[in-house]
Amino acid sequence: MTTDSWLFQQVDLLIQGPLRLLDPFEQAIFRARLEEHWSDVIRPLRHLYGQHPDFETWLVKFLHIIAQNYAHRPHDLRLLDIKRAARPDWFQESRMIGYVCYTDRFADTLTGVRKKIPYLNELGVTYLHLMPLLKPRPRPNDGGYAVADYRQVDPRLGTMDDLSQLAVELRQNGISLCVDLVCNHTAKEHEWAQKALAGDPVYQNYYFMFPDRTLPDQYERTLREIFPESAPGSFTWYPEAERWVWTTFHEYQWDLNYQNPAVFAEMLDIMLFLANQGVEILRLDAVAFMWKRMGTDCENLPEAHYLLQAFRALSRVAAPALLLKAEAIVPPPQLVPYLGQGEATNKECEIAYHNVLMVMLWSALAERKVNLATYALGKMPRIPSGCAWVTYVRCHDDIGWAVTEEDAAAVGLNGFLHRAFLSDFYSGRFPHTFARGATFQFNPKTGDRRISGTLASLAGLEVALEQKDWRAVDLAVRRILLLHSMIFVYGGIPLIYMGDELGLLNDYSYQDDPSRVGDNRWMHRPFMDWERAGERLDWQSVTGRIFQGLVRLVQARKRTSVLHAETAVTPVWTHNEHVLGLLRHGPRGRLLALANFTEHVQTVPRYRLLELGFSGELHNCLNGRLLDAWSDIQLEPYESLWLVHPEQLHSA
Ligand code: OTU
């Protein structure tokens, strides 16, 4: 079974079936792509479903789904498939700049977003992630991460047609659209869940349902609680169905059972349906949880990776322009495999969130020391050449301190105490902290505390403005720009989180909304302040300083082609524990970023630069200035430098 001749026979059947209306040349393209990707399709699927009695029938079903979606792919997107294949590293280039926002909080509706394209252009955005926008259950719905219908847009935001039109218009403006696909769970209001609740065994098998606590109790022995305060435990009892249902997150979010190939088939079809609407990047939510096995924490299991590899290989046939982005907020050793390793190199997700970098930046800022960041980032394995990180400072979620015991110990810290320090610091409890944030989900069993708060408030702007302390305001602005400088230079697609470009502070109004009050992540999901945005060109204003500073960073990154994601990044010791050094090196050239994580002037000795291969006069890409060839390097409070040899500029 599944020999070459089997495959040829299947393609012939597809040509008589879903592909029959296509031009023979288009049919031939499908055949060629399928043959090209077949080994990548079959390898993960064998691991996942090879033991299934109807494996072959399911394979035929999966092929049918990709053929059907290929047949329905609109012409402009077929053209995009060709363009992307001609320039496969398009998303790795230094011109990539992402922006993330809630449709309603940014511009009310999808049509509203179209009107804001000039604003995005002004910032230099080339990638737009609109937060969950498929039809959710009524609130509370975890900010849209509880989807009731994957084929409809949230009616408050618009229609599927509005989404496709927006995608076209964004693309005409050089912006790729990214949308969430909440693939680990559905809302309990989803049709499948409703049928399961009503007792339909076919749909009960779409989820994990148990008649009593025997298995749930066994599983829970090794499971981690994600929302220990607001949604403790991982199972919920539904008297209607007399079943315990697996609910990793909230009670209303039901985990899908991917051990059932029917679930894989449904999600594949949805994925390609969205790709055919013009979505270029799918943010796959909570992928770490997609496979469960008794006796494990049911996170990051090998099968979760096979699922992603199978999705990728199959989507490469039907919609090759589509990129998959892994959202796995896990510690360093578990994170890198989402970009594909071993035989899956360049065959899993193309992009993944670099939560470790995010955590290390906040850690260095609180501690005013870069030892942990240098060590932990330096230890991370290199990612495959065809992949890129998605780098970010803040997002819609809390900050969880992904610091391992080993990494902490290696730089003389105690992991538990350091994480506790960070939580104290950013919740505002630590004496003389500049930050103002809040604790999210204290877990008394582990002592774990995560953090909520906007970038500006966590970086000190809220306290400084309140105290009318203008020096502190200046430092906060510098911190905001420093963190952005780091995510811009590190490598990958940097994301600007809506409002951070204006320094928006914590929004406490969620406390007046009964459907939000239990979730303080709403504190850092403010409404866009368009009045404030009106001040962005005024250099005297705090807003103007942040916005203009950010735009300058964006422009510097775009000019600096060595920052392509393929250029390796290595943290280097600078002989000053307050200054982070990041060396980018590869065929495109070499760049040394230095960043002062303190409010004092810092010096990096010149001999250290010589050791790193940076001799003579150096050009700072951030301001175009030349540094002389002999003095030690001075960095102003929170200043960063992106240094290259001037010759590199002329050769580029
Ligand atoms: C994601 O986050 C989303 O980003 C959250 O907004 C959702 O609430 C959640 O999924 C459920 O849909 O636990 O605290 O390792 O950490 O997927 C956030 C991954 C989360 C998880 C991450 C999850």
Side-chain angles (χ1 to χ4, degrees):
M1 191 196 75
T2 70
T3 56
D4 283 351
S5 62
W6 181 87
L7 186 64
F8 294 151
Q9 194 192 336
Q10 293 308 317
V11 177
D12 289 340
L13 289 171
L14 293 171
I15 286 175
Q16 290 153 39
L19 302 175
R20 74 186 174 280
L21 295 179
L22 294 184
D23 186 279
F25 184 62
E26 298 274 15
Q27 295 171 341
I29 290 179
F30 181 88
R31 184 191 291 275
R33 284 207 200 122
L34 185 57
E35 283 171 18
E36 207 55 56
H37 292 291
W38 183 241
S39 58
D40 299 332
V41 168
I42 195 73
R43 185 180 45 81
L45 286 176
R46 277 223 176 91
H47 283 294
L48 292 164
Y49 307 119
Q51 300 309 314
H52 201 286
D54 303 323
F55 181 50
E56 196 175 327
T57 316
W58 281 110
L59 271 185
V60 173
K61 170 89 179 155
F62 301 155
L63 293 181
H64 201 86
I65 291 171
I66 57 173
Q68 206 148 29
N69 282 285
Y70 175 76
H72 288 133
R73 191 146 170 88
H75 277 120
D76 57 334
L77 295 174
R78 284 170 194 269
L79 188 60
L80 185 71
D81 290 336
I82 294 171
K83 285 191 184 165
R84 295 305 192 219
R87 197 172 177 141
D89 68 338
W90 66 277
F91 64 96
Q92 299 180 303
E93 289 169 350
S94 75
R95 55 170 197 90
M96 291 302 291
I97 302 286
Y99 191 79
V100 188
C101 62
Y102 286 90
T103 302
D104 56 341
R105 292 179 171 235
F106 180 61
D108 220 19
T109 61
L110 293 171
T111 319
V113 174
R114 283 163 70 183
K115 298 193 188 113
K116 297 297 182 194
I117 290 177
Y119 179 77
L120 298 174
N121 283 337
E122 191 181 326
L123 260 174
V125 170
T126 60
Y127 162 120
L128 177 65
H129 173 196
L130 295 177
M131 294 296 291
L133 49 70
L134 300 177
K135 192 181 169 199
R137 77 190 294 267
R139 280 208 291 269
N141 53 35
D142 193 12
Y145 285 103
V147 177
D149 187 345
Y150 293 94
R151 291 173 196 270
Q152 259 192 74
V153 164
D154 181 347
R156 294 176 315 119
L157 308 177
T159 63
M160 207 36 96
D161 279 345
D162 294 337
L163 185 69
S164 317
Q165 278 180 40
L166 173 62
V168 168
E169 205 162 320
L170 286 170
R171 202 169 310 116
Q172 283 163 355
N173 282 275
I175 303 174
S176 296
L177 177 62
C178 169
V179 160
D180 284 83
L181 180 56
V182 187
C183 49
N184 175 68
H185 44 268
T186 73
K188 68 173 177 189
E189 285 72 13
H190 191 284
E191 191 192 325
W192 308 330
Q194 287 298 308
K195 288 185 177 161
L197 259 190
D200 184 337
V202 169
Y203 288 95
Q204 290 200 336
N205 197 27
Y206 272 43
Y207 300 93
F208 296 94
M209 301 184 113
F210 308 91
D212 56 46
R213 284 291 312 182
T214 318
L215 290 176
D217 281 342
Q218 283 180 34
Y219 277 116
E220 271 188 352
R221 264 179 233 145
T222 48
L223 291 178
R224 181 167 75 97
E225 284 181 290
I226 307 305
F227 298 133
E229 274 183 42
S230 57
S234 296
F235 299 87
T236 309
W237 174 251
Y238 289 89
E240 307 92 300
E242 300 195 314
R243 288 286 188 278
W244 287 94
V245 178
W246 198 311
T247 54
T248 297
F249 298 94
H250 298 94
E251 163 276 316
Y252 51 77
Q253 290 161 308
W254 289 18
D255 288 55
L256 283 164
N257 173 16
Y258 280 92
Q259 273 143 41
N260 177 358
V263 170
F264 179 86
E266 298 269 17
M267 207 43 85
L268 175 67
D269 198 23
I270 289 167
M271 210 173 243
L272 296 175
F273 166 78
L274 293 171
N276 281 354
Q277 308 304 311
V279 173
E280 293 188 37
I281 302 112
L282 283 175
R283 173 196 182 276
L284 304 179
D285 183 58
V287 290
F289 299 88
M290 284 170 77
W291 199 271
K292 333 276 186 196
R293 179 171 300 122
M294 182 68 77
T296 72
D297 61 359
C298 299
E299 292 183 49
N300 313 300
L301 289 175
E303 288 83 355
H305 292 282
Y306 296 139
L307 284 169
L308 297 171
Q309 290 160 25
F311 280 137
R312 150 97 175 234
L314 287 161
S315 64
R316 277 291 158 114
V317 180
L322 182 70
L323 293 191
L324 300 182
K325 174 167 68 167
E327 191 262 346
I329 308 306
V330 298
Q334 281 83 40
L335 178 60
V336 181
Y338 287 95
L339 292 175
Q341 279 190 336
E343 12 173 42
T345 298
N346 284 325
K347 289 172 182 171
E348 199 163 318
C349 292
E350 288 86 358
I351 50 181
Y353 286 91
H354 202 329
N355 70 301
V356 177
L357 173 65
M358 182 271 292
V359 163
M360 290 303 151
L361 295 176
W362 287 108
S363 170
L365 209 55
E367 217 195 344
R368 277 87 162 175
K369 281 190 189 160
V370 303
N371 309 31
L372 181 62
T374 309
Y375 179 80
L377 293 170
K379 232 183 65 179
M380 286 179 74
R382 278 191 60 181
I383 61 171
S385 59
C387 295
W389 289 114
V390 172
T391 60
Y392 64 112
V393 176
R394 280 304 284 122
C395 71
H396 71 290
D397 277 332
D398 49 287
I399 307 178
W401 303 116
V403 176
T404 64
E405 305 304 328
E406 300 77 39
D407 290 353
V411 295
L413 294 171
N414 171 299
F416 179 82
L417 293 178
H418 185 62
R419 291 191 297 269
F421 157 69
L422 293 172
S423 295
D424 284 340
F425 191 92
Y426 287 110
S427 62
R429 286 185 208 176
F430 194 79
H432 308 296
T433 178
F434 50 73
R436 181 161 298 164
T439 304
F440 177 74
Q441 305 288 335
F442 169 54
N443 186 337
K445 288 181 214 154
T446 59
D448 185 43
R449 281 177 288 152
R450 282 130 73 186
I451 289 295
S452 284
T454 65
L455 163 61
S457 291
L458 294 178
L461 192 59
E462 188 169 334
V463 173
L465 287 172
E466 201 173 271
Q467 298 177 344
K468 298 201 168 35
D469 177 342
W470 303 117
R471 171 166 155 78
V473 168
D474 174 62
L475 292 176
V477 171
R478 287 166 182 258
R479 288 186 197 103
I480 292 170
L481 294 175
L482 173 76
L483 295 188
H484 279 104
S485 167
M486 294 296 95
I487 64 163
F488 282 18
V489 80
Y490 190 84
I493 306 174
L495 301 184
I496 299 169
Y497 183 64
M498 188 203 86
D500 286 350
E501 75 276 25
L502 307 174
L504 293 192
L505 304 178
N506 290 337
D507 174 6
Y508 300 100
S509 68
Y510 76 96
Q511 291 168 347
D512 308 323
D513 178 343
S515 72
R516 296 198 164 96
V517 65
D519 188 343
N520 68 20
R521 290 178 296 175
W522 287 101
M523 189 164 145
H524 50 260
R525 300 169 181 176
F527 280 89
M528 184 59 172
D529 187 341
W530 289 109
E531 206 174 294
R532 180 75 68 81
E535 296 166 13
R536 66 187 182 275
L537 299 181
D538 172 8
W539 258 108
Q540 314 277 337
S541 69
V542 175
T543 312
R545 271 195 63 198
I546 297 173
F547 189 90
Q548 295 300 321
L550 207 58
V551 168
R552 276 199 308 156
L553 286 170
V554 167
Q555 288 166 353
R557 177 179 149 96
K558 292 194 175 196
R559 281 195 304 268
T560 312
S561 57
V562 58
L563 296 179
H564 189 289
E566 215 177 50
T567 306
V569 58
T570 311
V572 289
W573 298 101
T574 59
H575 291 197
N576 178 334
E577 62 177 353
H578 310 293
V579 179
L580 183 66
L582 291 174
L583 178 64
R584 303 289 314 268
H585 51 105
R588 286 181 177 77
R590 300 176 89 241
L591 180 148
L592 179 66
L594 296 175
N596 175 359
F597 274 78
T598 72
E599 48 273 83
H600 308 289
V601 172
Q602 297 291 342
T603 304
V604 173
R606 176 59 72 159
Y607 70 83
R608 184 58 188 140
L609 268 74
L610 292 174
E611 285 170 355
L612 293 167
F614 287 83
S615 55
E617 283 189 324
L618 294 173
H619 171 89
N620 176 11
C621 303
L622 286 176
N623 59 14
R625 290 205 194 113
L626 271 183
L627 276 66
D628 69 54
W630 50 87
S631 335
D632 290 340
I633 308 289
Q634 295 265 331
L635 293 111
E636 295 295 309
Y638 298 114
E639 190 186 12
S640 61
L641 308 170
W642 297 357
L643 303 175
V644 296
H645 279 129
E647 309 85 70
Q648 197 170 299
L649 298 173
H650 307 310
S651 63

